[in-house]
Amino acid sequence: MSLLRDSLKEIHKRLSTGELSASDLVEESLAQIAKVDGDVRAFLKVDEEGARKQAAELDKKWANSSTRGLLGGLPVGLKDNLCTEGLTTTCASQLLANYNPIYNATVVDKLAEAESVTVGKLNMDEFAMGGSTENSGFHPTYNPWDLSRVPGGSSGGSAAAVAAGEVYYALGSDTGGSIRQPAAFCGVVGLKPTYGRVSRYGLVAFASSLDQIGPLTKNVEDAAYVLQAISGHDAKDSTSAQVDVPDFLSALTGDIKGLKVAVPKEMMGEGIDAGVKERVQAAIKKLEQMGAVVEEVSLPHSDYAVAAYYLIAPAEASSNLARYDGVRYGVRKQGQNLLDMYLETRSQGFGSEVKRRIMLGTYALSSGYYDAYYLKAQKVRTLIRQDFERVFADYDVIVGPTTPTTAFKIGENINDPLTMYMNDILTIPVNLAGLPAISVPCGLAEGLPVGLQIIGKAFDEATVLRVAHAFEQETERLPVPPLGGKRA
């Protein structure tokens, strides 16, 4: 059994007694990466030298101290849209292939304060635009459960690395489901915090009103530890909320008796695979057996969420990605004049999915179409948020499937953008409303993981974690992924 599959409490105990060192954990991580990443391909950059140096410094520091950080010595992988000083941050795009930030994202500094060790940068869909990690500008990532299938996206590298035991935990970003969907596909826990709970400073922006950083972990308790470490107000981020950070670990009581659980009929209807629906229904029944009060509700405007999202997110992306012109940072392609240089840089640097979304967003914001498309989408967003508010007036959490299907085959949907976009139909409403949500494994369907999504009130991650942890304690854990099948 790998050290990286031990519980965090067990690792803390062994570190404090000197039985285990930070260097031991890092070497375990690097050995597993060397063993399996040739198949999984979760990493874009493994920083062996930097990780060993960080671990050695921690071991030296701990030799004269009995205290350990919240995440002391734990190897972490970072999605490659989180800025890391001195370590390439590419957003899995050829356009940023040579970009070395001169500062850290706030979450990276917070992890350093918690004494975690950064092992490297993880693959993703280019600029976080995609749901399969097939849109990476470098190479796809493969699902450890079946190497012929996608790991999900855009945080597919993060989910796959945790599932394959390459790192103890990882950070991803979630704009429309990009933490929860790959977590469901890879059989790990993925938490999207409330918008504003975690600083976005140093996260390369896709859609600024939707993006949120969160953890991907082996279990719910680990997610609570990581959220504890990365939460808090940040003056560098104007969208960071000035709210208190509760003790998330104290919420993990294992008791959900009397909690009111809402199940939206829209999340359990047409388009949900039979195997997924069966596992989620069994999970909901388990919550009922544990003492929760479960009732069906309606989120009537959720049917319009995908349409609204694919106007709002591309519009914000069109604005955010205008900065990548070959002048200030990233790769520059030569042209006969300035405009020609812009054209060549963006034509060669951006992949097809990024170009598609820039064009969609530019069109939606253009004169004559702004009111008809973008403004109307924002009004629908308000209606979706109001739907959640009405339900949460009477219920503590909302539950349903994380995704309508299990992980699909590599190449199956890559040329069908509409089918790919619909894969996020169950996660997108949460981002539009800015709410917290978690995906926790709830079994297998035909040998592939299924995710149960638990959605909470704004800034009530404690209740979301409480329900997820209680459910996890009462259900059988998934086995270690077999690294099965052949890569497509």
Side-chain angles (χ1 to χ4, degrees):
M1 177 67 76
S2 166
L3 290 174
L4 302 188
R5 298 201 183 275
D6 286 352
S7 73
L8 194 146
K9 286 180 180 176
E10 177 64 22
I11 288 175
H12 272 181
K13 179 181 176 182
R14 294 174 67 185
L15 285 170
S16 63
T17 61
E19 180 187 345
L20 197 62
S21 68
S23 295
D24 291 333
L25 291 168
V26 166
E27 291 304 325
E28 188 85 16
S29 173
L30 295 176
Q32 183 70 354
I33 292 168
K35 180 180 176 183
V36 305
D37 206 60
D39 289 323
V40 178
R41 306 209 73 188
F43 278 86
L44 288 175
K45 170 73 174 178
V46 179
D47 185 20
E48 294 187 30
E49 183 181 347
R52 287 187 170 116
K53 182 179 178 183
Q54 290 175 66
E57 288 173 352
L58 284 176
D59 289 335
K60 184 177 179 181
K61 175 182 176 182
W62 293 343
N64 301 309
S65 171
S66 59
T67 60
R68 302 289 183 272
L70 194 64
L71 303 171
L74 295 180
V76 58
L78 303 174
K79 187 175 179 179
D80 203 27
N81 58 354
L82 293 168
C83 286
T84 43
E85 184 179 1
L87 190 59
T88 308
T89 300
T90 70
C91 293
S93 176
Q94 290 291 338
L95 199 143
L96 289 179
N98 63 354
Y99 177 53
N100 280 292
I102 58 173
Y103 65 98
N104 282 329
T106 293
V107 291
V108 176
D109 284 336
K110 282 181 173 285
L111 292 184
E113 290 169 17
E115 299 186 331
S116 204
V117 178
T118 298
V119 172
K121 307 299 287 291
L122 294 160
N123 199 18
M124 56 185 283
D125 287 295
E126 184 182 6
F127 284 102
M129 298 182 192
S132 65
T133 317
E134 294 171 283
N135 294 314
S136 169
F138 298 98
H139 56 74
T141 294
Y142 301 88
N143 193 319
W145 286 88
D146 181 346
L147 296 172
S148 70
R149 296 179 184 269
V150 303
S154 61
S155 304
S158 299
V162 174
E166 296 178 281
V167 289
Y168 193 84
Y169 71 99
L171 289 191
S173 65
D174 193 311
T175 307
S178 290
I179 288 174
R180 291 159 288 150
Q181 185 248 30
F185 279 7
C186 291
V188 299
V189 172
L191 173 63
K192 175 219 169 289
T194 308
Y195 183 81
R197 168 69 81 187
V198 177
S199 172
R200 293 187 304 110
Y201 179 76
L203 170 68
V204 179
F206 163 16
S208 302
S209 73
L210 299 163
D211 299 338
Q212 184 63 105
I213 300 165
L216 293 104
T217 60
K218 302 188 309 299
N219 57 57
V220 176
E221 184 179 58
D222 289 355
Y225 269 99
V226 180
L227 183 63
Q228 198 75 52
I230 64 176
S231 293
H233 177 254
D234 180 15
K236 296 175 182 176
D237 174 10
S238 63
T239 63
S240 177
Q242 296 196 47
V243 294
D244 292 336
V245 178
D247 180 1
F248 295 117
L249 291 161
S250 68
L252 309 184
T253 63
D255 179 20
I256 58 168
K257 287 176 183 170
L259 248 68
K260 297 196 70 178
V261 176
V263 181
K265 61 183 180 181
E266 292 83 2
M267 288 188 173
M268 298 294 286
E270 188 179 350
I272 309 300
D273 275 6
V276 171
K277 187 180 290 188
E278 182 182 336
R279 297 313 310 150
V280 171
Q281 286 172 336
I284 292 169
K285 188 174 181 181
K286 173 64 72 174
L287 293 175
E288 211 164 12
Q289 292 169 351
M290 293 165 64
V293 178
V294 178
E295 295 175 358
E296 185 178 79
V297 298
S298 178
L299 295 171
H301 295 98
S302 60
D303 289 343
Y304 307 106
V306 172
Y309 174 88
Y310 280 103
L311 286 166
I312 295 169
E316 294 186 15
S318 170
S319 175
N320 280 324
L321 270 64
R323 69 193 71 175
Y324 303 111
D325 52 14
V327 175
R328 285 159 289 187
Y329 33 65
V331 173
R332 176 184 298 181
K333 301 298 181 182
Q334 296 304 314
Q336 295 181 359
N337 53 48
L338 184 63
L339 292 179
D340 195 36
M341 185 270 286
Y342 289 161
L343 176 63
E344 290 301 318
T345 296
R346 293 167 68 83
S347 295
Q348 296 180 47
F350 288 139
S352 59
E353 182 60 30
V354 174
K355 291 175 186 174
R356 182 183 293 118
R357 298 200 193 193
I358 290 173
M359 291 171 70
L360 278 170
T362 303
Y363 179 80
L365 292 174
S366 61
S367 177
Y369 297 101
Y370 178 92
D371 289 352
Y373 294 106
Y374 181 75
L375 185 60
K376 188 172 287 186
Q378 291 287 19
K379 290 179 179 179
V380 171
R381 181 181 192 171
T382 299
L383 294 173
I384 290 169
R385 188 183 74 247
Q386 290 172 347
D387 284 349
F388 278 111
E389 288 171 353
R390 278 191 289 272
V391 170
F392 280 128
D394 299 312
Y395 296 89
D396 297 297
V397 293
I398 294 170
V399 302
T402 306
T403 59
T405 69
T406 53
F408 46 87
K409 294 271 190 179
I410 296 274
E412 186 176 334
N413 296 326
I414 192 66
N415 295 317
D416 188 353
L418 290 179
T419 299
M420 191 78 83
Y421 294 169
M422 291 302 291
N423 207 260
D424 292 333
I425 193 169
L426 302 173
T427 53
I428 280 173
V430 175
N431 295 79
L432 291 173
L435 300 174
I438 197 170
S439 178
V440 60
C442 64
L444 301 175
E446 297 184 5
L448 294 170
V450 175
L452 175 71
Q453 182 174 209
I454 303 166
I455 306 165
K457 301 172 186 176
F459 298 104
D460 191 17
E461 289 87 357
T463 301
V464 171
L465 289 163
R466 175 185 167 192
V467 175
H469 178 259
F471 171 77
E472 185 181 66
Q473 300 309 300
E474 294 295 321
T475 53
E476 188 176 344
R477 299 288 177 91
L478 296 184
V480 174
L483 287 179
K486 292 184 178 180
R487 274 191 2 200

